[in-house]
Amino acid sequence: MIAAWIDRGAVRVREDLPRPSLEPGEAIVRVSLAGICGTDLELMRGYRNFSGIPGHEFVGRVEEGPPEWVGARVVAEINVTCRSRPAEPLCPSCANGQPTHCLRREAIGIRGRDGAFAEWLRAPVSNLHRVPESLPDEVAVFAEPVAAACRVLRQVEGDIEHGCVTRALVVGAGRLGQLVARVLAIRLPGLEVAGRSERNLARARAAGFAAGPVTAVEASAYDLVVECSGASAGFTAARRAVRPRGTIVLKSTHKNDLAVDISSVVVDEIRLLGSRCGPFEDALSALERRDVEVRDLIDDRLPLSAASEAFDRAAEPGVAKVLLVP
C-alpha cells in the first residue's frame, strides 16, 4: 500500500508497505480522509524520535472485521488500551476507569501503532465509532480534535454550572485553539481568543469571536484561560491573563521545557489542568447538531502521494487544516 513515512525529520511516500493484516478483535479500515495536526508536525520535527506512519485524525470505512462492522463508516479513538486485550488483566489505570491513561497504552499514529496516513489501517473494534449518515467525510474527519476540545468543556463544566466563569480566553488561534474556542462557546458565548497570526485572528473573528493579539491581553482578568499555542510565550500570556484563583487549562504538548514561576502560582492559588484526549460521542453529537462548524478550517486537500508537500503546506503560518486523500 501507499503510505506517508516519517523518519529522521523528513516525510516521504512509500509504496512498498504491506496492507495491515486482520487481528482478533480488530478491523481493517480503508481511509477516506485524514487530517494533519500539530502533533504530526512535531513528530516530523523529531518529537518522541518517531519513525513510521503518522496520522490519527481520520474517517474511513471498515473493509474487514466483525460482520456487524463491515461496511460501516467510522472514526476511531487513538488510545489502544486494555479494553482491546480482553484476555489480559486490566492495568490499574483501566481498572480505575481511566483508560486514556492505560499503563500499556499505544496510540494510533503516535506510539506503537501505524497511523492513518495510508490507504488502510488496523484499529481495535472497541475504538471505533459509527459516523452519522448526515455527516460528510470532510466534517467527520474532525471528530478526534473536536473530541479533544470537548474534553476541556467536560473538565470545566462544573465551574460553568456554578457561575464561576464569567470571562474566558483561549490563547492560541491555530488549529487547536480554533476548535477549543468553538466548543467552549457552546456554553461560554462571550469567550475571547488571543493569538499572534493575523490570519488566524481574522478566522476567529469571522467565526464570531472577539480576537486580538496575545500581547494586548488584559492582565488578571479571566476566570478561565485555555493555553493552545504550544509556545512558551503562550503559557506566559495565559499566566498573565488569569485572575487569582482562576484556572489555566494546558491543552498543548510542549516539546521544550517551560520556565514557570511556581511561587506565583501558589500565592495566587491558580489551578492548572492538563487536558488531552476527549469523548468521541460528545464530538460526533456536536458536529451532527452543527453546534461546531469546521469546514471553514479546511485550507487544502492533497493526495497521499503528495504527503511531503502536504506537510509543508500544513506548516505554513496561519494554515489550519490540510487533508490527505488516499
Side-chain angles (χ1 to χ4, degrees):
M1 68 175 181
I2 298 175
W5 186 271
I6 285 179
D7 188 32
R8 289 174 289 193
V11 180
R12 62 189 176 97
V13 176
R14 292 184 57 176
E15 300 183 13
D16 59 340
L17 297 170
R19 171 176 165 160
S21 56
L22 189 64
E23 299 288 342
E26 305 207 338
I28 304 299
V29 178
R30 177 184 281 275
V31 179
S32 303
L33 278 180
I36 299 175
C37 79
T39 300
D40 300 315
L41 294 175
E42 290 304 318
L43 292 174
M44 180 191 67
R45 295 168 182 147
Y47 181 59
R48 289 187 174 275
N49 295 315
F50 181 85
S51 178
I53 303 173
H56 53 274
E57 300 178 8
F58 75 94
V59 59
R61 198 170 290 275
V62 176
E63 288 199 345
E64 295 182 58
E68 65 271 21
W69 281 98
V70 172
R73 198 162 55 105
V74 297
V75 291
E77 298 180 40
I78 70 171
N79 296 295
V80 179
T81 69
C82 289
R83 67 179 177 175
S84 68
R85 311 176 187 96
E88 301 177 20
L90 298 178
C91 75
S93 290
C94 288
N96 289 329
Q98 298 178 331
T100 56
H101 296 279
C102 174
L103 299 182
R104 293 179 286 176
R105 178 174 60 91
E106 297 174 328
I108 292 172
I110 299 174
R111 183 168 70 182
R113 285 263 173 169
D114 287 337
F117 297 164
E119 294 179 276
W120 292 274
L121 65 76
R122 179 169 56 88
V125 171
S126 56
N127 284 48
L128 302 181
H129 292 264
R130 297 178 188 269
V131 175
E133 286 300 318
S134 62
L135 286 187
D137 285 348
E138 65 183 10
V139 173
V141 73
F142 283 86
E144 194 279 333
V146 171
C150 288
R151 173 63 178 155
V152 179
L153 188 56
R154 281 201 179 189
Q155 288 174 295
V156 302
E157 199 156 23
D159 291 344
I160 297 172
E161 292 282 351
H162 290 95
C164 299
V165 182
T166 56
R167 289 191 73 183
L169 173 72
V170 171
V171 175
R175 304 171 187 84
L176 181 59
Q178 296 279 347
L179 290 175
V180 169
R182 292 170 192 218
V183 168
L184 285 178
I186 297 171
R187 299 294 307 279
L188 297 168
L191 178 134
E192 300 166 44
V193 176
R196 292 186 303 172
S197 164
E198 182 52 41
R199 180 175 179 180
N200 286 337
L201 292 173
R203 198 191 301 263
R205 293 187 199 105
F209 296 102
V214 70
T215 53
V217 168
E218 187 179 350
S220 302
Y222 297 90
D223 309 297
L224 170 67
V225 182
V226 187
E227 202 293 294
C228 297
S229 74
S232 58
F235 177 82
T236 300
R239 175 65 191 93
R240 185 178 70 251
V242 73
R243 63 162 173 80
R245 291 193 174 181
T247 298
I248 299 175
V249 179
L250 303 173
K251 198 62 187 173
S252 299
T253 51
H254 291 254
K255 184 171 64 175
N256 300 316
D257 293 337
L258 286 174
V260 182
D261 181 357
I262 290 297
S263 293
S264 74
V265 172
V266 173
V267 170
D268 287 347
E269 298 183 296
I270 304 300
R271 181 172 60 157
L272 299 178
L273 286 177
S275 184
R276 191 163 48 88
C277 300
F280 269 59
E281 58 273 19
D282 290 9
L284 289 170
S285 293
L287 290 169
E288 187 176 23
R289 293 192 306 265
R290 301 195 68 176
D291 288 343
V292 180
E293 182 55 59
V294 295
R295 275 177 279 208
D296 62 305
L297 297 176
I298 301 171
D299 279 335
D300 217 336
R301 299 170 184 244
L302 289 165
L304 181 60
S305 58
S308 181
E309 292 87 340
F311 267 73
D312 289 343
R313 177 80 169 112
E316 292 177 14
V319 169
K321 189 61 63 180
V322 173
L323 299 179
L324 282 172
V325 186

